[in-house]
Amino acid sequence: MDGIKVLLLDIEGTTSSIKFVHDAMFPYVVSHVRSFLEKHWHEAECQEDVQELRKLAQQDKEEGVEGVVSIPDKADDEETDEETVRDSVASNVLWQMSSDRKSTALKQLQGHMWREAFSQGILKGHVYDDVVPVLQWWRANGGAIYIYSSGSVEAQKLLYGHSVQGNLLELLNGHFDTHIGVKLEAESYKKIAASITCDPCEILFLTDIIKEARAARKAGMKTCVVVRPGNQPLTAQDAAEFSIIHSFDELRQPGHQLC
């Protein structure tokens, strides 16, 4: 860890179980999106979410994306009733999720839904037991910690602010999501380094996704691939190419080699 000043952390499969995200957070959206839209439809925030989803749907349609669900605008067609528009929004959300899309528009609405669920105690964020002691150790020794996830910044703060281990936000210096760029592009990591005024070589990015690790390394960052139960298995080539850990505890071991 010599020369490292910043830990940049992924969430799914790194600090938190993929199972929690896929078995708790995503299903919550699927089962509650229609009732959520009906409840909050006339609120400005909800209408902003709808507008972003509508713009994306129009863009997808123009680009010929297969299966895209259009969202009509009541203002353009007086015969389109409110319920029809709401139903199309819900269908678009479900279509995007079934396609495993990570659009900013989708993440924004999901984040607002999760905010309600976390604040009501319906959801509590999963964080592996080995994570918090190491983050506390890192901060106590003067290091900084940032999160970079495809999930919205708001969703990130909800997960760590309402975790099974309490409010962990005080351990984090900041958050990044797809507004800074997608996680498979080196430019995104360069932007993060510039925004925190840190040389990329002084940043250690931890993730379970090999393609993300390659992008971060291309940007000049140090990388470490995290192996957790339920994560995508690594090939022999992947394991040889990157530093691998199975627990954050390994970061405290003297002489741990980083790639």
Side-chain angles (χ1 to χ4, degrees):
M1 299 289 282
D2 289 345
I4 299 298
K5 296 180 179 179
V6 174
L7 297 182
L8 181 63
L9 310 176
D10 172 47
I11 297 178
E12 279 185 61
T14 301
T15 68
S16 306
S17 171
I18 285 181
K19 187 178 179 65
F20 170 72
V21 176
H22 288 275
D23 291 358
M25 293 182 70
F26 287 164
Y28 177 83
V29 173
V30 170
S31 60
H32 290 80
V33 62
R34 295 181 190 278
S35 60
F36 180 87
L37 289 170
E38 185 172 358
K39 178 180 178 181
H40 299 284
W41 187 255
H42 295 289
E43 298 172 13
E45 183 178 75
C46 184
Q47 285 303 306
E48 290 171 6
D49 293 345
V50 170
Q51 185 58 26
E52 290 303 310
L53 289 165
R54 181 181 287 117
K55 285 166 56 179
L56 177 61
Q58 181 61 35
Q59 180 181 327
D60 286 341
K61 185 176 181 180
E62 293 171 355
E63 295 177 356
V65 175
E66 185 177 354
V68 60
V69 179
S70 297
I71 300 175
D73 192 339
K74 195 172 184 294
D76 297 334
D77 185 357
E78 294 182 356
E79 295 184 2
T80 301
D81 60 79
E82 191 175 280
E83 185 176 351
T84 298
V85 179
R86 266 202 309 270
D87 188 63
S88 66
V89 173
S91 296
N92 179 278
V93 168
L94 297 178
W95 166 72
Q96 289 200 57
M97 294 181 68
S98 67
S99 303
D100 196 29
R101 299 189 77 184
K102 301 182 184 297
S103 70
T104 300
L106 172 64
K107 294 298 181 182
Q108 182 171 294
L109 176 62
Q110 288 176 326
H112 294 153
M113 292 186 64
W114 288 327
R115 177 182 61 196
E116 186 169 275
F118 278 108
S119 65
Q120 294 177 356
I122 298 172
L123 293 175
K124 285 190 177 295
H126 173 268
V127 177
Y128 284 108
D129 290 340
D130 57 84
V131 172
V132 176
V134 174
L135 300 192
Q136 292 171 331
W137 162 76
W138 186 253
R139 287 301 304 271
N141 283 276
I145 303 169
Y146 291 86
I147 303 297
Y148 181 29
S149 172
S150 57
S152 68
V153 166
E154 181 169 20
Q156 297 173 30
K157 290 181 177 179
L158 289 169
L159 189 150
Y160 291 114
H162 301 270
S163 85
V164 291
Q165 299 192 45
N167 187 345
L168 305 178
L169 293 177
E170 64 181 13
L171 294 174
L172 307 176
N173 296 85
H175 303 258
F176 297 96
D177 59 18
T178 52
H179 280 95
I180 198 121
V182 296
K183 297 180 73 180
L184 300 182
E185 295 181 359
E187 188 62 28
S188 303
Y189 299 87
K190 292 178 182 178
K191 288 179 180 178
I192 289 175
S195 72
I196 62 176
T197 59
C198 186
D199 192 301
C201 70
E202 297 174 327
I203 301 173
L204 173 62
F205 177 55
L206 291 96
T207 180
D208 63 308
I209 305 298
I210 291 295
K211 290 182 179 179
E212 294 178 359
R214 289 197 179 108
R217 186 174 61 185
K218 186 177 180 181
M221 293 184 184
K222 299 296 185 180
T223 59
C224 193
V225 174
V226 183
V227 175
R228 299 286 196 183
N231 287 6
Q232 185 71 27
L234 301 180
T235 65
Q237 179 181 345
D238 295 337
E241 183 179 351
F242 291 95
S243 297
I244 306 295
I245 62 171
H246 295 77
S247 166
F248 272 41
D249 289 331
E250 296 174 49
L251 296 175
R252 292 195 276 190
Q253 295 176 3
H256 187 81
Q257 297 298 310
L258 302 173
C259 296

